[in-house]
Amino acid sequence: RRSGLLPSGGMLIDPLILLQAYSIGVFPMSDDRDAREVYWVEPKFRAILPLERFHLSRSLAKVLRRDQFRVTANRAFGQILALCAAAAPDRPSTWINHAIERAYGDLHARGFAHSIEVWDGEELVGGLYGVALGTAFFGESMVSRRTDASKVALAWLVARMRFAGFTLLDCQFMTDHLRSMGAIELRQRDYLQLLGAAVGSVSLGAESDALAAGSGAAAERAFAPLAGLADTGSPLAPSLTVSGPLSGHSIAQLLTQTS
């Protein structure tokens, strides 16, 4: 369901309004990359990916364990955003217009928007970005320029979210790709109950306080450089011990042990 068209030519969507929209189950979209308007969307049915239901297929587990790709977090947010917004043979245009691109770049600078990047050598070949608020992560867009790159990004995201104590991974709209990885669809009223529990403790009343607070402790844990998961105290990964830098093998181990 659409509502509230916003003229976007040269304007930046107010960051506090954007965060408040997420906190009540609404997000912005546009009709085209070069469209001048942004509208608010409130789907009647919402796709989420329950973290405990993430489906790690045998083929994806093999890709992870081989460390076929190098994966980072928040190292190239602007590049991921631009890659998601760019046209591709299977996607001649996107809903990410220039105002939306600027708005999420601003949220990233303020500590609310985060990215997972997938690299083949020094080439960025896939990833995702979204917004963290409380213990909710709102996935905005995924992109893949190599086979399995977006799946690898999602696997790393889920593992980091489990490690950090997140409770909600919002995928917005259901796709076959997401369904194959464990996503389910909820009615809006059921989604709002989960959303309320995930962001209920976040105060967005005063702009200076809200924007200074950043995403919250869960996001700081999830998207910080992780040197290892030993003795983290995370109830979601009580038996996993990893020393040294995290690898794809570590991620596969975490997803297997907490499923």
Side-chain angles (χ1 to χ4, degrees):
R1 185 178 71 187
R2 297 187 185 186
S3 64
L5 283 170
L6 299 173
S8 64
M11 295 177 61
L12 181 67
I13 302 170
D14 183 273
L16 185 59
I17 291 177
L18 188 50
L19 294 175
Q20 289 172 332
Y22 276 108
S23 73
I24 61 171
V26 180
F27 54 89
M29 292 187 73
S30 186
D31 284 322
D32 184 79
R33 173 65 172 159
D34 295 316
R36 295 183 59 82
E37 292 181 321
V38 173
Y39 52 85
W40 298 109
V41 181
E42 185 182 18
K44 292 183 178 179
F45 293 90
R46 197 71 165 239
I48 70 166
L49 204 168
L51 300 179
E52 72 282 359
R53 288 187 49 165
F54 178 77
H55 176 60
L56 181 65
S57 66
R58 290 185 178 181
S59 60
L60 180 56
K62 288 180 180 178
V63 171
L64 290 171
R65 292 189 175 106
R66 287 201 304 265
D67 278 319
Q68 180 176 333
F69 300 107
R70 179 170 59 91
V71 183
T72 58
N74 283 339
R75 297 285 183 87
F77 182 88
Q79 290 175 257
I80 280 292
L81 182 53
L83 198 62
C84 287
D90 61 338
R91 188 176 59 178
S93 187
T94 73
W95 55 268
I96 305 171
N97 72 353
H98 298 285
I100 288 175
E101 186 174 6
R102 289 191 297 270
Y104 287 94
D106 183 43
L107 280 190
H108 175 65
R110 295 173 183 269
F112 289 94
H114 305 275
S115 59
I116 300 290
E117 305 98 14
V118 180
W119 307 82
D120 185 354
E122 296 302 314
E123 183 182 359
L124 184 64
V125 296
L128 57 84
Y129 78 94
V131 173
L133 198 59
T135 59
F137 185 82
F138 307 91
E140 280 298 313
S141 187
M142 293 193 300
V143 64
S144 187
R145 294 290 186 266
R146 293 284 191 282
T147 301
D148 293 326
S150 62
K151 291 182 179 180
V152 167
L154 187 58
W156 276 75
L157 175 67
V158 169
R160 281 174 169 266
M161 288 179 66
R162 287 180 173 180
F163 162 72
F166 274 79
T167 59
L168 175 63
L169 174 50
D170 175 12
C171 303
Q172 298 182 346
F173 300 110
M174 180 63 78
T175 66
D176 291 340
H177 177 70
L178 289 169
R179 184 179 284 109
S180 72
M181 302 189 78
I184 62 173
E185 209 167 33
L186 299 178
R187 291 185 179 275
Q188 180 72 350
R189 64 172 179 269
D190 297 323
Y191 167 78
L192 289 176
Q193 290 183 346
L194 295 178
L195 177 64
V199 304
S201 61
V202 178
S203 175
L204 294 174
E207 180 173 3
S208 60
D209 293 341
L211 297 181
S215 299
E220 289 180 5
R221 294 189 74 194
F223 294 97
L226 301 181
L229 300 182
D231 301 321
T232 62
S234 170
L236 297 176
S239 60
L240 178 63
T241 300
V242 178
S243 60
L246 280 179
S247 65
H249 189 277
S250 306
I251 294 299
Q253 185 183 357
L254 176 60
L255 291 173
T256 300
Q257 290 194 6
T258 59
S259 59

